[in-house]
Amino acid sequence: PVSCVSRPDIMFVRRLSCQVATVSLLVHTHALRMPFARGSTVRMAASNAATLPKQETGISALLDAQPEADGRGTLVAVLDTGCDLAAAGLQETSDGRPKYVDFIDCTGGGDIDTSKKVKPAEDGTLEGLSGRTLKLGGWAEGVDEFRLGALRLYGLGSMPTSVLRRLKEERKAAFVMQHQAAVSAVQRELDGLADGAPKEAKRDLELRLEQYDAMMDGYTDHGPLLDVLLWRQQPSGVWQAVIDVDGEGDLSAAEPMAPYAHARQVGDMGHGSALTYCVQVYDEGERLSVVTDAGSHGTHVAGIVAANFALDSALNGVAPGAQVLACKIGDGRLGSAETGTGLVRALIAAKARGCDLINLSYGEPAWQHDSGRVAETFTAAVRKWGMCVFTSAGNDGPALSSLGSPGALSAPICVGAYVSPAMMAEQYSMLPVADVSGASYSFSSRGPTPDGFMPSLCAPGGAIAPVPRHALQGKAQYHGTSMSSPNACGVAACVLSALKQAGLSVGPIELRRALE
């Protein structure tokens, strides 16, 4: 229907939405009448144009007409497993600003107790909680009190399970190699004994072999124990932290790290993990948070929204000019599942930092969809705090009424997954595609829910995007409604960017109406 609203800013956003939205984004996914969204059958010209789809939603045409309407001036909160702050394509925006404004662990999985206070010795050392003597560096001059903490690398609640598994395998392989070398050396010595050698010498070597066998049978790796130091720098009052990632006690060359938003410092957890971390400090120094991602999902989602590759724009996310607030809701202690507490913390953090948009590519089956503390907070985020929330529909289709939560909440924009012919060709090597139409992915969840709710939009549900360094590859192809939601969120970032540059301001309800 034609809008009866005559405000020029709303009319502008409606006209702009027509420019940037094609059938795949504008069509309602009416589960009872049309379970599959239809799209264009036109093949893209560029060989990699559909690896991170933009033409399906019209964003490519918008950016050709308005190159600076690429998300600049917008801030997107990504509520997910967390992001690798050192991943390729996620370092700067298209206009040179830092890509991440902050990274917050809303799960508490990386929290370390730093309540114990000690003073350093006159020789510039102190005893850490591990029992090691810690050698301090020049950075410790003038610091008369430190807070102590410790973390066991394997026990870091925020560590991805894939990294933990790989580290254990690599460390065991190294142990087995050393063990076999030691066994071989003893066996050679035993074989080389002369016939008249003393029985004691032979028995000693046999006992050593038995001990080596027992050592292998009882192999257990609890992981490195790392000391943590925390102090408040004077006169600036900025908290500083040092982690003994090598586990050797020599911190003389360590580089102190401030909370990420202060200086955007990141580190590597070492031991071959390739796991990026930053720190946050809470409760006046009583608690240090070591923040890492809990899996590759969040980095991939952030890349779809806002990756920026200065040397190859074809690899860019939908809104390369947008900035990102990374909120980790995937708890590594729960297999990266989220909790209501973590979701509420993330929404409050997004509000505190003035985010324009939120993407939540998480969800599970639900019974009472639009009720409870989490639903109330999402409603407040949209209707009171002025943030537009995008969430994935879920991957439990194609059955009717397979839509779960939070996709079935009334406040967020729920996004289903669409695949175009060009995506079929470029991401799945499907041949031929000339006579194939676009459709929703079969797994995309449908409505209606018991209260009649259905997905709001469809957007491209597959992408080749950046993944964390610890994945040991630069990018990966994932598909799911987890990929369609950030694509739609990136579209909204570009729309808002164009509106802001035109001097217009719209709220989440107006933006949703225009997109739908």
Side-chain angles (χ1 to χ4, degrees), residues 176-186 188:
V176 169
M177 183 177 296
Q178 293 180 347
H179 179 270
Q180 290 175 342
V183 169
S184 298
V186 175
R188 283 195 301 270

Side-chain angles (χ1 to χ4, degrees), residues 319-342:
Q323 289 185 290
V324 173
L325 170 66
C327 296
K328 178 180 176 179
I329 60 167
D331 195 329
R333 299 167 296 183
L334 303 175
S336 75
E338 85 281 21
T339 64
T341 300

Side-chain angles (χ1 to χ4, degrees), residues 154 161-177 219 221:
Y154 290 178
T161 55
S162 59
V163 176
L164 179 60
R165 181 171 57 251
R166 174 167 58 81
L167 286 184
K168 287 185 174 182
E169 291 173 353
E170 291 175 352
R171 285 168 61 90
K172 184 172 183 179
F175 174 83
V176 169
M177 183 177 296
Y219 173 85
D221 182 11

Side-chain angles (χ1 to χ4, degrees), residues 118-129 132-149 227-231 233 240-244 248-256:
V118 298
K119 295 184 180 296
E122 293 183 359
D123 61 354
T125 64
L126 57 81
E127 183 179 343
L129 293 185
R132 300 188 191 96
T133 297
L134 306 181
K135 180 182 178 182
L136 309 182
W139 45 264
E141 294 181 7
V143 181
D144 58 6
E145 184 179 76
F146 290 92
R147 291 176 174 268
L148 298 184
D227 283 291
V228 176
L229 297 182
L230 178 67
W231 71 97
Q233 194 71 39
Q240 301 281 334
V242 166
I243 301 177
D244 182 18
E248 298 176 352
D250 187 357
L251 302 177
S252 58
E255 182 178 351

Side-chain angles (χ1 to χ4, degrees), residues 192-203:
L193 288 178
D195 292 339
K199 294 182 178 179
E200 293 80 3
K202 180 179 180 181
R203 181 56 181 162

Side-chain angles (χ1 to χ4, degrees), residues 44 85 96 174 185 193 219 243 326 363 398 417 454 462 510 514:
M44 298 183 192
L85 300 175
L193 288 178
Y219 173 85
I243 301 177
M454 293 180 287
E510 297 159 326

